[in-house]
Amino acid sequence: MKIAVIGQSLFGQEVYNHLKEEGHKVVGVFTVPDQDGKVDPLGLKAEQDGVPVFKFTRWRAKGQALPDVVAKYQALGAELNVLPFCSQFIPMEIISAPRYGSIIYHPSLLPRHRGASSINWTLIHGDKKAGFTIFWADDGLDTGDLLLQKECDVLPDDTVNTLYSRFLFPEGVKGMINWEQPAEAIHNWIRGNDKVPGAWTEACGQKLTFFNSTLNTAGLVPEGEAVPIPGAHRPGVVTKAGLLLFGNDDQMLLVKNIQLEDGKMIPASQLFRGMDNSALELTEEELATAEAVRGAWKRILPSVPEVDDSTDFFKSGAASVDVVRLVEEVKELCDGMELENEDVYMATTFGDFIQLLVRKLRGDKESECVIDYVEKAVNKLTLHMPHQLFIGGEFVDAEGARTYETINPTDGSVICQVALAQVSDVDKAVAAAKDAFEHGLWGRISARDRGRLLYRLADLMEQHQEELATIEALDAGAVYTLALKTHVGMSIQTFRYFAGWCDKIQGSTIPINQARPNRNLTLTRREPIGVCGIVIPWNYPLMMLSWKTAACLAAGNTVVIKPAQVTPLTALKFAELTLKAGIPKGVVNILPGSGSLVGQRLSDHPDVRKIGFTGSTEVGKHIMKSCALSNVKKVSLELGGKSPLIIFSDCDLSRAVQMGMSAVFFNKGENCIAAGRLFVENSIHDQFVQKVVEEVGKMKIGNPLDRDTNHGPQNHQAHLRKLVEYCQRGVKEGATLVCGGNQVPRPGFFFEPTVFTDVEDHMFIAREESFGPIMIISRFADGDMDTVLSRANATEFGLASGVFTRDINKALYVSDKLEAGTVFINTYNKTDVAAPFGGFKQSGFGKDLGEAALNEYLRVKTVTFEY
């Protein structure tokens, strides 16, 4: 009989020899291509016998048998196909072509155990009998008619190897999924075959092999492009997380990686893009780069005589250490472009690797993170706002697809649904940040390159400043013009300032006592701490993020940021810009959510080494305690304030009124350093109050996006209620309400600019911060400088303070005596990115901004040599 043998390995060679011994004519052998110059044993034996040998890399493309392959096969005139251990997918045009069809050798007693690992299951199930089956191939899974079965006893000490060696023919076909099972059973089958031999199915016109399966599909919505799968309960769905598959119980499982029929491994989320075989046409410059990269492959793979497009990196002998080497060599050749180890695993042949590289160099949009935007037409712009968690360089849903509404304070309407992070999401984000710090590109690039990335991020923030300012107005109620200048403008300045510090963080050499007769050298190194948690407030959402994050990243740390639950949107837009800037995945992670859940987990997490917090004193104390009890984290706290502003009678009164207004009403009073209490010298008190009330009357309250608005809505409804209660308590205690004190009768969370006089030291409003547009005025006797200083310092807060006087001696004396981290003289609110900012007493400790801020995110290591 004329037989075509289709297979490989020593087992295939054994079957070939047996057929020859039986007198059959083997008209052709179809085996795998040579690997590393090494011929497969079956093919080698056939060549020695003068039998035609064919080594097709594949038999079909896009579900169709390749015509030239079919023609070469048909020219042999085979009457029967024999398939021992065949790892290639053979089209039915070949299987059905011979007069007598095709037979397959299978290492079990069908139908008990099917698939590639049937012999394993023979042992796992404790079968007393093992054996092999020869059956007629059809288009099913080991379902053809049986031709022959032989069995043997399973000995007590048998292993897979002994059964193979002692009795069985080789494994016949790779594992194929049986879809008539619950999702968990399908998952078990896929993971049971991961990574060898692989569980495969027919879909999209070709053989797809599935790897990396999980039943953790919480929060995943089966929305995307459908993948019809023959025999499956429902079509699969390609999502940005991977390929969702369904069991016959309608439960889902997620496949993260897929191997195509040509051997190419791709993320399952890119299934349809990965099957697109259209190659980029390279420019002359790109061809030169490709040749330089080819040289790198040759250096790493010295045993390969020639590197061509089909050369497989791993099949040519490369190991994991060679992956790192290749990545580093390519980054050097391509001017530090971002390349991950995973990229090599996803493009293992030289041709595919060059295509991937060129796409990255061109900034191919397909390689960018998939972002599910909320779009809104606002302020003559179309806003594109991410609304999911940002973890490991990807926007993802929270566990359980939990969300909440973020509200527009201008009218109380819902802006959008935002992902609500859970404890498990915090753990994922911290793990991503830790991996990026310990193993990622961030820790390997030079400090100067780190600065370059931060400069690029600042440039992108500037390019998007109108969009960022509009989102601040929409989500936080910030007046647009102020947001443009301060909320966003100072954020950009902050990143530029700290970008310049990246390559200037250095230690020192220290002379110490010598260990005579030897000598010693001692030096210090300032090193990043590791994973940092940053918890930011709602009054300046982007600016507070930038103050802390810029210093944190400049120092070389990675970060998990928890924005205020009521103002998450600029933080998430910032996350998108970090991707565009090329900040490596995992360096920045952002988790909208509640403080009691997300903030608490960050404080408790053993892998977080630093917490930076801006917020209330009460919460700050709780965070400090949690950090101490968990792993003695480093902590910096910017907490509450009740900043005194002293106005002497010898001041420039017009300027004092102007600056006093700004000190209280700037950003709707939602300002941590706002002047919480004004002390006005008696001789100018009434005149000062009169001028302030006149100026308050000129303030326009309105939509923060209107260019002539001075005073927008308070940040959220709960805060508005607290301001109303605060004023009611002031009136009840006997203070004089000169103007304001009420909610503005219009939609949204608007509160009137308010002025109180006759405020005595014992009153609640004299002691407690309002964090709103409420001016608290108290008199002090003419010339009584020491008494007013004593009253100004009679608080547990010490964030900021101010003094207005033309007398330089008085100004310097008062600034010496005021117990606050910042003292303003004849100005107020004048902060700068180069000037350190932070409080005394229960206003916290640690500094934002300036060189001092870097110390909050660095640790000092002492190294001593002896020589």
Side-chain angles (χ1 to χ4, degrees), residues 9 109 273 340 365 505 531 682 689 705 758 793:
S9 78
L109 297 173
R273 292 203 296 266
E340 303 286 346
K365 300 298 182 185
I505 298 171
V531 179
N682 190 60
V689 172
L705 290 171
D758 302 318
N793 287 329

Side-chain angles (χ1 to χ4, degrees), residues 506-539:
Q506 54 197 22
S508 59
T509 56
I510 304 170
I512 65 170
N513 290 333
Q514 306 293 337
R516 297 178 181 176
N518 294 339
R519 299 178 66 83
N520 294 98
L521 170 66
T522 293
L523 56 88
T524 60
R525 297 178 57 183
R526 299 170 75 197
E527 300 178 339
I529 296 171
V531 179
C532 299
I534 289 177
V535 182
I536 56 177
W538 43 259
N539 57 328

Side-chain angles (χ1 to χ4, degrees), residues 29-30 55 225 284 618 721 780:
V29 166
F30 297 82
K55 302 176 182 179
E225 198 161 355
E284 289 187 10
E618 180 185 4
R721 293 196 193 103
F780 70 94

Side-chain angles (χ1 to χ4, degrees), residues 448-614:
R448 195 157 296 158
D449 285 340
R450 188 162 68 241
R452 181 174 53 82
L453 290 174
L454 294 186
Y455 276 124
R456 188 185 300 167
L457 176 59
D459 290 344
L460 283 164
M461 292 170 71
E462 188 168 53
Q463 291 170 25
H464 289 262
Q465 61 184 336
E466 289 85 2
E467 185 176 17
L468 289 166
T470 302
I471 296 173
E472 289 277 81
L474 193 68
D475 200 28
V479 173
Y480 175 74
T481 51
L482 176 65
L484 205 57
K485 177 183 181 295
T486 301
H487 291 234
V488 179
M490 195 172 186
S491 298
I492 296 166
Q493 293 172 24
T494 302
F495 272 98
R496 287 204 173 117
Y497 174 81
F498 282 107
W501 267 111
C502 288
D503 60 355
K504 301 169 188 69
I505 298 171
Q506 54 197 22
S508 59
T509 56
I510 304 170
I512 65 170
N513 290 333
Q514 306 293 337
R516 297 178 181 176
N518 294 339
R519 299 178 66 83
N520 294 98
L521 170 66
T522 293
L523 56 88
T524 60
R525 297 178 57 183
R526 299 170 75 197
E527 300 178 339
I529 296 171
V531 179
C532 299
I534 289 177
V535 182
I536 56 177
W538 43 259
N539 57 328
Y540 295 104
L542 183 64
M543 192 173 78
M544 292 293 99
L545 178 152
S546 300
W547 281 19
K548 296 183 188 300
T549 303
C552 176
L553 297 181
N557 301 286
T558 57
V559 65
V560 180
I561 301 168
K562 192 206 87 65
Q565 187 170 352
V566 291
T567 53
L569 295 181
T570 42
L572 294 172
K573 188 66 182 179
F574 169 81
E576 177 191 348
L577 297 182
T578 67
L579 284 178
K580 291 183 176 181
I583 305 292
K585 296 177 180 180
V587 172
V588 174
N589 305 271
I590 297 182
L591 302 177
S594 71
S596 59
L597 211 64
V598 178
Q600 184 64 56
R601 180 55 181 159
L602 284 172
S603 300
D604 292 337
H605 203 292
D607 291 331
V608 175
R609 293 297 172 184
K610 160 70 196 273
I611 291 288
F613 172 75
T614 295

Side-chain angles (χ1 to χ4, degrees), residues 266-301:
I266 62 169
S269 60
Q270 298 178 15
L271 174 59
F272 292 104
R273 292 203 296 266
M275 292 190 302
D276 182 4
N277 291 322
S278 57
L280 298 174
E281 186 172 337
L282 293 130
T283 65
E284 289 187 10
E285 184 179 353
E286 289 165 346
L287 286 169
T289 300
E291 287 308 306
V293 174
R294 192 189 307 273
W297 277 55
K298 287 179 178 178
R299 289 190 293 275
I300 296 171
L301 306 171

Side-chain angles (χ1 to χ4, degrees), residues 22 35 92 131 182 253 255 257 260 336 343 350 395 400 455 469 482 523 537 564 571 581 620 676 717 741 814 827 861:
E22 292 293 321
Q35 296 186 13
M92 287 306 297
L253 63 143
V255 171
N257 298 101
L260 303 180
D343 293 325
F350 181 75
F395 285 96
Y455 276 124
L482 176 65
L523 56 88
Q717 191 169 43
V814 171
T827 187
K861 178 183 290 183

